[in-house]
Amino acid sequence: MSSKSTLISICVLIGLLTIITQNIPFFWDMAHFSQIADHFYTNGFGKYIVPLNMDEGPFPFWGVYLAACWKLFGKSLLVSHLAMLPFILGTFLGFYKLCKSFLNDTFTSVALVLLLLEPTVGTQSLLMSYDIALLCFFLLAVNALMRGKKILYAIALVFIGVCNVRGPVVVGSLFIIQWLFAHRQSNLKYWAWSALYYLPCVIILSAWFLFHKS
């Protein structure tokens, strides 16, 4: 089986698993974020500062996203699980593209199966965790960086930054990764200029935290 066929088969399997596991509830910290989503679902999207007992500081991306899905398709566990699908499938597609840059077709298929069997990815997917969205955006950014798609890279950085509280740390790690690429290619001048692509993320995060503090 080719790696593309493996990817398609895995995506179909993920869709089936999503339907089968539709009754798995929110758990642990995701129960907390479902409360944030319920706040926006009930009170609308006019005010992004959530009540103090829910507020952790970062932009409430996941709560807003879930609430928007509930408004569009109905408030249910099935809709919540289906809302995960774009990020789960995006993760596997991003991982597939990354593997194709380094591995042959056979080993790419093996790597995809290993990712499917990796317990953390499976658990976070079934529990509707925003960490899958963070992983999806991270792989999008890495692939964009490797292919020189600068605008897409800048957009991915913005979504990483606002995704959750770990987002800014991941953006910092990508900044270091890009420096390592540039250093290996003896092209630090390009790296200095490419730092401009971090500006949208930095500006948006700075504006949010200033707004949040005020």
Side-chain angles (χ1 to χ4, degrees):
M1 182 182 291
S2 68
S3 60
K4 185 173 290 187
S5 298
T6 303
L7 176 65
I8 294 172
S9 299
I10 287 174
C11 289
V12 172
L13 178 59
I14 288 170
L16 292 174
L17 286 173
T18 299
I19 301 300
I20 293 170
T21 60
Q22 62 178 281
N23 291 322
I24 293 179
F26 290 98
F27 179 74
W28 206 248
D29 57 343
M30 293 319 301
H32 166 74
F33 284 95
S34 71
Q35 290 179 323
I36 296 176
D38 183 68
H39 167 78
F40 289 114
Y41 178 82
T42 303
N43 300 293
F45 301 94
K47 294 181 68 175
Y48 288 97
I49 303 297
V50 298
L52 188 61
N53 63 319
M54 304 179 188
D55 192 6
E56 294 184 335
F59 182 79
F61 168 83
W62 197 242
V64 171
Y65 172 71
L66 273 181
C69 290
W70 291 344
K71 287 285 188 182
L72 289 172
F73 305 109
K75 187 182 181 186
S76 69
L77 276 175
L78 175 59
V79 170
S80 304
H81 280 281
L82 290 175
M84 290 294 302
L85 270 181
F87 301 108
I88 302 172
L89 299 179
T91 294
F92 277 88
L93 178 60
F95 187 68
Y96 167 78
K97 290 183 176 180
L98 185 63
C99 289
K100 291 291 285 185
S101 300
F102 299 100
L103 305 174
N104 63 29
D105 200 60
T106 301
F107 281 108
T108 297
S109 294
V110 173
L112 285 168
V113 173
L114 289 175
L115 179 62
L116 179 66
L117 298 175
E118 205 284 316
T120 307
V121 174
T123 302
Q124 297 298 308
S125 298
L126 294 178
L127 295 180
M128 299 165 282
S129 171
Y130 55 69
D131 283 327
I132 295 298
L134 184 62
L135 178 58
C136 176
F137 292 135
F138 175 78
L139 289 169
L140 176 66
V142 171
N143 283 310
L145 175 61
M146 293 181 61
R147 289 165 173 75
K149 297 181 178 180
K150 301 171 184 176
I151 302 300
L152 181 60
Y153 184 62
I155 293 171
L157 289 174
V158 170
F159 279 104
I160 290 171
V162 301
C163 188
N164 62 41
V165 70
R166 288 182 279 276
V169 179
V170 176
V171 171
S173 72
L174 284 165
F175 189 73
I176 296 172
I177 289 171
Q178 192 173 11
W179 179 85
L180 292 172
F181 280 167
H183 182 72
R184 186 174 182 180
Q185 298 170 358
S186 301
N187 195 6
L188 291 178
K189 184 178 180 180
Y190 163 76
W191 174 75
W193 277 105
S194 67
L196 293 174
Y197 292 100
Y198 292 81
L199 277 181
C201 178
V202 172
I203 291 172
I204 289 172
L205 284 178
S206 299
W208 165 255
F209 285 120
L210 286 172
F211 170 70
H212 183 273
K213 183 180 180 181
S214 68

